Amino acid sequence: DFYSLLSKLLGEREDVVHVHKHNPTEKADSDLVAEIANVVQKKDLAREITNHDERDNTMLVRDRIHKFHRLESSLRPPENRHFSLQQPKRGEGSWEKEHTGDFHIEEAVEWPGLDLKLGQVSGLALDLENNLVIFHRGDHIWDENSFDSKFVYQQRGLGPIEQNTILVLNPSNAKLLHSVGKNLFYLPHGLSIDKNGNYWVTDVALHQVFKLGADDKEPLLILGVALQPGSDKNHFCQPTDVAVDPTTGSIYVSDGYCNSRIIQFSPNGLYVMQWGEETSLGRARPAQFHIPHSLALIPDFSQLCVADRENGRIQCFRLETGEFIREIKHKSFGRELFAVSYVPGGLLFAVNGKPYPGQAEPVQGFVMNFSTGEIIDTFVPLRKSFEMPHDVVASEDKTVFVGDVHARAVWKFSSTEKMEHRSVKKAGIEVQEIKESETIVEARLKNNPESTDPLKKQEKQHFVQQTSTGVSFVLITTLLIIPVVVLLAILVFIRWRKTTVYGADGEHKLDSSSGRILGRLRGKGGAGLNLGNFFASHKGYSRKGFDRLSTEGSDQEKDEDDGTDSEEECSAPPPPPAPSSS
C-alpha cells in the first residue's frame, strides 16, 4: 500500500537514520511524518522542517504522529485515493504555507471566448464535465432605474429575458454546447452547480432562488416569493448566490443586497437557520455583512466562505452551526471584494472591484492559500481590461474563468506551471486527491535531485562498507595462513633432513659436521628432536616450558589442529548486511 511504499522510500534516508541514532523513538517518528508529508503534499506547496527546537517538542511530535495515523487509516483503494484530515479548532495548532513558488496565472490569449456576444455576465460555474457555464442578462441591464427605494423591481413591463440566459461552452474552444433559461429571469445574478449537475441560480429582480435541471425548461424548486422583497423565512431581498453541500444536500443562500444574512435550507427547501447582521459603524465585526455577494463551499473543511463585498473581505463559517471561523483580508483587496471560489486541495480564488478615488489598489484576480489566507499570486488580463469582474470560477488543473458584468466578457486564465506539492500543516490538514500516488512519488524522486542525494550517499556508504569488510577478511586470513605455512616449512625441512641423514637402507650417513650439529639437536634421545635441549645449549635459554616433540607421525595431527584453529579464527560473525537502497 501507499504507506508501505513511503516507508521504504523514507525509512533508509540518511537524515532519518542519523536521527534514529540520536533518539530512536520520538525523533524518528517525527521526521518520518514530516518526510511523508513532504512527498505527498509539497505541493504543495515546498516545505522543509528546519526548526530543531520545534521538532524537540514532545507534545508536537505526538500530535503529528497521531494525525499521521489518522491519515493512514483514511486511505481509500488505489483507484480513488482521496483522503483528508480535519483542520484544528480555532486557536489550536498552527498553519504553514501550502504552496510556494513556481506557480503563476496568465491569460490564455488564444481562447476565443472573449469575443462572444453576451449580456451582463453575472455568474460562472463549471459543470460535472468541466464545461464552462455562463449566466448572463441578455438584453436586460441593472441600472439606477431598476429598483425603487424599497427594492421593488421597476421594469417588469420589459418581461422576462427572451434569450437563453444559461450557456454551456467548451472550455477549450468556447464552442456553444447547450443553452437554457429563456423567458424565466429578469435580472440574473448568482450561479452554482450541485453534484448532480443541477443549476442553482438567483434573480435579484424576482427576489428568488431557482433549481433547474440541465435540460429542464421549468424549475425543479423555487425559493422566495416572486417580485416581493422581504426579510422573513419565506422572502429574500435581492439574493446574490447559492451553494449546495455535496454531502448533506443543504442549501445556503446569501441574502443579499438589502439583507445581511446567510440562510440555510434543507434539501427540500425547508428553512433551517440563518446567521449574520448588518455592519455597524466602525470596523466590521465577525458575522456582520455589507452585501454578502458570493459563496464558496469548502467541503474539505466543512466551511462556507462568503465574499463580504463592501467590507472588502472573506469570512468563513462552520457549515453545521454557522459559527464564525476566520476572516481573510488584505490591503490589496481594496474596498470591495466581489467573488470567491475554492479549488479542492487548498486554493482560494477571488476578484476585487475598482478602487475608490484616492486609492491605488488595482482591480485584479487573486490566488490564495486557503490554509493561511496568504496571497500566492495575482493576475490581470492581457486583452482588454477588467471593469467590474463579477464572478470567478476555477478548476482543479488551475484553469480560471472571470466574468465581467460591465465589460460583458469572460476571460480564461491558466497556470504556467503545475503545482508540485499539496497542503502541509503542523496540526493536520487535508492531503489532496492522488490518483496514482506511487507514480507521483516516483516522479518526484526523479525530478528532485535533493531527494536522490541521500540514496546516492547511501550507495556510496554501502560500497565503502563492503570494501572495508573485504580488506578486513583478507588481512585476517593472511595473518592466519602465515604461521601455518611456517610450521609446514619447518616440518618439510625436518623430514628432508631426516631423509638425507638416513639412507634408504636405514644406515647413518652424516658427515662429521652434520653429525655434530644433528647430534646436538637430537641429544640423548637419539631417535627424536628435542627443541628444549637445542635452546638450552645456547646462552640465556632454559628448557623450562619445552616438551619433547616427536617428528614421526605428527604431520597429520598437526595439520588437523592447524585446520581447526584456522577455521575457528575465520568463523567470526559475518559483517551485517548493507542497508537496502530501495
Side-chain angles (χ1 to χ4, degrees):
D1 61 333
F2 186 42
Y3 170 69
S4 299
L5 173 65
L6 290 174
S7 298
K8 290 178 181 179
L9 288 172
L10 300 173
E12 300 298 335
R13 286 281 301 274
E14 182 184 19
D15 51 351
V16 177
V17 172
H18 175 73
V19 172
H20 275 241
K21 294 179 181 178
H22 187 70
N23 190 335
T25 304
E26 296 174 351
K27 300 281 284 186
D29 288 337
S30 173
D31 278 2
L32 179 61
V33 173
E35 291 290 333
I36 289 176
N38 276 335
V39 171
V40 175
Q41 286 255 335
K42 183 172 177 182
K43 37 160 132 349
D44 274 148
L45 331 172
R47 180 172 182 264
E48 282 188 326
I49 298 178
T50 57
N51 191 336
H52 294 281
D53 293 335
E54 176 188 52
R55 293 160 76 181
D56 289 335
N57 188 321
T58 304
M59 296 301 295
L60 182 57
V61 169
R62 291 177 180 174
D63 181 65
R64 287 179 180 173
I65 297 171
H66 174 66
K67 298 298 182 183
F68 172 73
H69 287 305
R70 288 176 56 196
L71 173 101
E72 177 192 3
S73 64
S74 62
L75 284 172
R76 295 184 182 180
E79 62 272 11
N80 184 21
R81 288 195 171 115
H82 180 282
F83 41 95
S84 64
L85 295 178
Q86 293 297 323
Q87 70 173 64
K89 295 181 180 179
R90 183 171 173 79
E92 296 181 0
S94 56
W95 301 95
E96 286 196 354
K97 290 187 68 175
E98 194 172 331
H99 168 74
T100 57
D102 296 338
F103 178 66
H104 182 59
I105 296 293
E106 292 182 353
E107 182 188 353
V109 294
E110 73 284 354
W111 192 66
L114 188 63
D115 300 323
L116 293 174
K117 302 300 180 183
L118 303 169
Q120 292 182 331
V121 178
S122 61
L124 298 177
L126 296 174
D127 65 14
L128 302 183
E129 298 177 354
N130 267 342
N131 294 316
L132 174 64
V133 184
I134 300 174
F135 196 31
H136 73 117
R137 295 172 184 162
D139 56 2
H140 286 203
I141 61 172
W142 185 355
D143 58 21
E144 65 275 7
N145 299 317
S146 298
F147 296 90
D148 65 11
S149 60
K150 296 181 179 180
F151 308 105
V152 177
Y153 186 57
Q154 299 296 299
Q155 297 173 337
R156 286 175 287 180
L158 296 176
I161 300 170
E162 296 179 355
Q163 298 88 15
N164 281 319
T165 54
I166 300 176
L167 310 177
V168 182
L169 305 181
N170 184 312
S172 300
N173 55 26
K175 180 180 178 181
L176 181 64
L177 303 176
H178 183 60
S179 61
V180 293
K182 183 186 298 185
N183 295 320
L184 284 177
F185 308 110
Y186 285 79
L187 281 180
H189 199 274
L191 166 68
S192 64
I193 299 176
D194 64 22
K195 66 176 183 179
N196 298 317
N198 298 308
Y199 302 145
W200 292 81
V201 299
T202 68
D203 190 310
V204 293
L206 291 172
H207 306 285
Q208 287 180 306
V209 175
F210 299 85
K211 175 185 178 182
L212 291 168
D215 299 317
D216 296 333
K217 295 183 179 180
E218 296 298 326
L220 302 175
L221 177 67
I222 301 176
L223 301 176
V225 181
L227 299 170
Q228 292 185 14
S231 57
D232 58 23
K233 297 179 181 179
N234 299 315
H235 291 80
F236 301 108
C237 190
Q238 296 178 346
T240 54
D241 204 4
V242 188
V244 180
D245 188 337
T247 303
T248 65
S250 297
I251 306 163
Y252 298 87
V253 179
S254 52
D255 181 37
Y257 279 93
C258 35
N259 287 329
S260 299
R261 61 180 180 172
I262 306 298
I263 311 176
Q264 179 184 351
F265 297 90
S266 71
N268 297 325
L270 300 178
Y271 175 89
V272 176
M273 67 172 181
Q274 69 180 42
W275 70 86
E277 61 182 12
E278 188 176 353
T279 301
S280 58
L281 295 177
R283 178 177 173 80
R285 297 195 298 270
Q288 290 186 340
F289 300 108
H290 193 179
I291 307 181
H293 194 259
S294 172
L295 299 177
L297 197 141
I298 321 294
D300 295 341
F301 304 96
S302 295
Q303 293 184 30
L304 181 72
C305 292
V306 184
D308 187 6
R309 193 179 105 171
E310 298 301 311
N311 285 324
R313 63 179 179 174
I314 299 170
Q315 296 191 73
C316 297
F317 303 88
R318 198 172 304 281
L319 281 175
E320 298 82 2
T321 62
E323 174 191 359
F324 174 81
I325 297 177
R326 63 180 179 135
E327 169 191 284
I328 300 175
K329 186 177 178 67
H330 295 279
K331 182 179 179 181
S332 55
F333 286 173
R335 289 282 300 274
E336 297 177 332
L337 190 76
F338 272 76
V340 61
S341 177
Y342 177 76
V343 172
L347 289 180
L348 207 60
F349 294 82
V351 288
N352 66 348
K354 278 194 171 182
Y356 280 55
Q359 293 183 336
E361 290 78 12
V363 55
Q364 58 187 333
F366 302 89
V367 186
M368 288 167 284
N369 180 321
F370 175 75
S371 300
T372 64
E374 183 178 0
I375 295 176
I376 297 172
D377 192 22
T378 60
F379 56 94
V380 294
L382 301 175
R383 299 177 295 169
K384 297 186 179 181
S385 298
F386 285 151
E387 295 182 28
M388 184 183 283
H390 198 262
D391 201 7
V392 60
V393 67
S395 63
E396 293 191 36
D397 66 354
K398 315 305 176 292
T399 299
V400 185
F401 295 93
V402 176
D404 194 304
V405 71
H406 281 181
R408 303 189 180 193
V410 177
W411 285 269
K412 178 181 178 180
F413 299 85
S414 59
S415 60
T416 56
E417 292 188 23
K418 302 301 181 184
M419 295 173 59
E420 292 182 358
H421 304 286
R422 296 292 190 256
S423 57
V424 175
K425 192 162 59 75
K426 293 179 186 175
I429 184 179
E430 88 283 20
V431 178
Q432 165 113 0
E433 176 179 358
I434 301 175
K435 295 182 180 179
E436 295 295 340
S437 301
E438 293 85 354
T439 304
I440 291 176
V441 173
E442 185 177 352
R444 168 168 166 71
L445 291 175
K446 291 180 180 178
N447 294 332
N448 188 353
E450 294 180 359
S451 64
T452 59
D453 287 344
L455 296 178
K456 293 179 180 179
K457 292 179 181 178
Q458 197 171 49
E459 292 176 358
K460 184 176 180 180
Q461 291 176 351
H462 178 51
F463 175 76
V464 171
Q465 184 177 6
Q466 287 182 333
T467 304
S468 62
T469 302
V471 172
S472 300
F473 178 78
V474 172
L475 181 61
I476 293 174
T477 303
T478 303
L479 293 176
L480 290 174
I481 290 176
I482 288 175
V484 174
V485 172
V486 171
L487 289 175
L488 290 176
I490 293 175
L491 292 175
V492 170
F493 175 77
I494 293 173
R495 292 181 65 88
W496 175 78
R497 291 296 301 170
K498 183 178 180 180
T499 304
T500 306
V501 173
Y502 295 96
D505 54 354
E507 295 183 359
H508 190 220
K509 296 185 178 181
L510 288 175
D511 58 17
S512 59
S513 61
S514 299
R516 288 194 300 270
I517 295 174
L518 186 57
R520 184 179 297 178
L521 290 175
R522 294 175 60 185
K524 296 179 181 180
L529 176 64
N530 193 318
L531 293 178
N533 291 332
F534 174 77
F535 287 110
S537 64
H538 291 76
K539 185 178 180 180
Y541 289 93
S542 170
R543 287 194 58 196
K544 186 177 181 180
F546 288 89
D547 294 326
R548 186 179 183 86
L549 177 64
S550 174
T551 60
E552 296 180 3
S554 63
D555 291 350
Q556 183 177 356
E557 295 175 3
K558 189 67 180 177
D559 291 341
E560 290 176 356
D561 292 340
D562 293 341
T564 303
D565 293 342
S566 177
E567 182 178 350
E568 289 177 356
E569 288 287 334
C570 294
S571 63
S580 174
S581 61
S582 60

